[in-house]
Amino acid sequence: MQNFTSPPALNRSDGSPARVLVVDDERDLTDVLAAALRAEGCEVRTAADGASALEVAAAFRPDAVVLDWMLPDIDGLAVLRGLRERAPGICVLFLTARDAVEDRIAGITAGGDDYVTKPFSLEEVLARLRGLLRRAGMTHAPSDHRLVFADLVMDEDAREVSRAGEVVDLSRTEFELLRFLMRNPRRALSKEQILDRVWSYDFGGRAHVVELYISYLRKKIDAGREPLIHTVRGVGYVLKQAPRQGEGPGAGRDAGRGSGQERP
């Protein structure tokens, strides 16, 4: 039996969704982050500069802020000070291209709770933000916290994966890649989509990285078993069960002509 469970949402004490404000002057970046956070069950607002961020924060009263350091009007440190004046307990995750050690120290010393540099892994940003929200008292909505497809099981909280009851040891990147596939079962995903979600919003055309890690996953997930990770020619990859004998030519149509025996 195939089953898919959405990731558990983080809620406030009153049961309402956690609120997150994303502040960055790169529209594509804020759109990507906002979409990912909404998929996580959060309520999201965005702002493109420091002044707007403070205005939105005053009305929206977010639980956490993803804050770019370098904004077109005032810098992130000034925004942070303004946020702390109004809400001392607000969680702030700095997101910036400034990766020098002294910049990291300055951000944390100023009161930032965490620091991620660009280009970034979207999954890493989400994981760090979830950690900040949990420490701030956010709780998971009821859920078994698992993704299940065929005999493949992923426990997102324990970060454990098993196939047919046998534990599969995955690296952090392999885990995030498999999680993206399992959150989108039977859906053909392009290499660009995978790069955007697993590695960085600014993927730079490094499609060979996806091919390499798909091959790693296949060796660990599919070796000696019914293949679940299939190639869709000219598109990318899909997580699905292959049609069984007698199911007819229409089975598995959503995966195009892909076959589990194909390689990147």
Side-chain angles (χ1 to χ4, degrees), residues 94-129:
F94 271 121
L95 192 66
T96 177
R98 301 176 65 163
D99 59 356
V101 173
E102 54 268 29
D103 291 327
R104 292 173 182 262
I105 294 173
I108 300 300
T109 301
D113 296 288
D114 208 343
Y115 194 113
V116 177
T117 57
K118 301 176 184 178
F120 57 81
S121 159
L122 188 55
E123 288 293 347
E124 180 184 5
V125 171
L126 294 176
R128 290 186 184 226
L129 197 55

Side-chain angles (χ1 to χ4, degrees), residues 64-120:
V65 180
V66 180
L67 178 61
D68 186 26
W69 186 302
M70 294 179 287
L71 295 168
D73 51 354
I74 54 179
D75 66 28
L77 292 181
V79 176
L80 173 60
R81 287 192 291 269
L83 292 169
R84 290 276 189 238
E85 288 175 3
R86 299 176 182 181
I90 195 170
C91 302
V92 177
L93 173 65
F94 271 121
L95 192 66
T96 177
R98 301 176 65 163
D99 59 356
V101 173
E102 54 268 29
D103 291 327
R104 292 173 182 262
I105 294 173
I108 300 300
T109 301
D113 296 288
D114 208 343
Y115 194 113
V116 177
T117 57
K118 301 176 184 178
F120 57 81

Side-chain angles (χ1 to χ4, degrees), residues 192-210:
E192 289 78 12
Q193 287 175 308
I194 295 171
L195 280 164
D196 180 67
R197 190 71 168 94
V198 178
W199 275 268
S200 167
Y201 77 96
D202 182 19
F203 57 85
R206 297 186 293 271
H208 67 281
V209 174
V210 177

Side-chain angles (χ1 to χ4, degrees), residues 29-205:
L29 186 152
T30 56
D31 287 348
V32 167
L33 279 174
L37 287 165
R38 289 186 180 109
E40 294 276 321
C42 297
E43 189 175 347
V44 185
R45 297 289 186 276
T46 63
D49 56 57
S52 298
L54 293 173
E55 289 181 7
V56 173
F60 182 49
R61 299 177 63 188
D63 303 296
V65 180
V66 180
L67 178 61
D68 186 26
W69 186 302
M70 294 179 287
L71 295 168
D73 51 354
I74 54 179
D75 66 28
L77 292 181
V79 176
L80 173 60
R81 287 192 291 269
L83 292 169
R84 290 276 189 238
E85 288 175 3
R86 299 176 182 181
I90 195 170
C91 302
V92 177
L93 173 65
F94 271 121
L95 192 66
T96 177
R98 301 176 65 163
D99 59 356
V101 173
E102 54 268 29
D103 291 327
R104 292 173 182 262
I105 294 173
I108 300 300
T109 301
D113 296 288
D114 208 343
Y115 194 113
V116 177
T117 57
K118 301 176 184 178
F120 57 81
S121 159
L122 188 55
E123 288 293 347
E124 180 184 5
V125 171
L126 294 176
R128 290 186 184 226
L129 197 55
R130 283 193 294 265
L132 293 179
L133 288 168
R134 280 195 295 268
R135 290 198 291 273
M138 301 292 111
T139 58
H140 283 303
S143 168
D144 64 5
H145 303 187
R146 299 192 312 161
L147 302 176
V148 181
F149 186 83
D151 59 352
L152 182 63
V153 179
M154 171 179 286
D155 185 323
E156 294 189 285
D157 284 351
R159 296 188 71 83
E160 292 180 351
V161 173
S162 63
R163 177 94 195 260
E166 182 179 340
V167 175
V168 180
D169 184 27
L170 300 179
S171 69
R172 184 188 68 82
T173 302
E174 290 166 350
F175 183 91
E176 301 301 349
L177 173 55
L178 181 62
R179 173 154 60 180
F180 186 43
L181 292 172
M182 292 186 72
R183 286 183 177 180
N184 295 274
R186 298 174 296 278
R187 175 186 172 195
L189 301 169
S190 69
K191 294 176 184 178
E192 289 78 12
Q193 287 175 308
I194 295 171
L195 280 164
D196 180 67
R197 190 71 168 94
V198 178
W199 275 268
S200 167
Y201 77 96
D202 182 19
F203 57 85

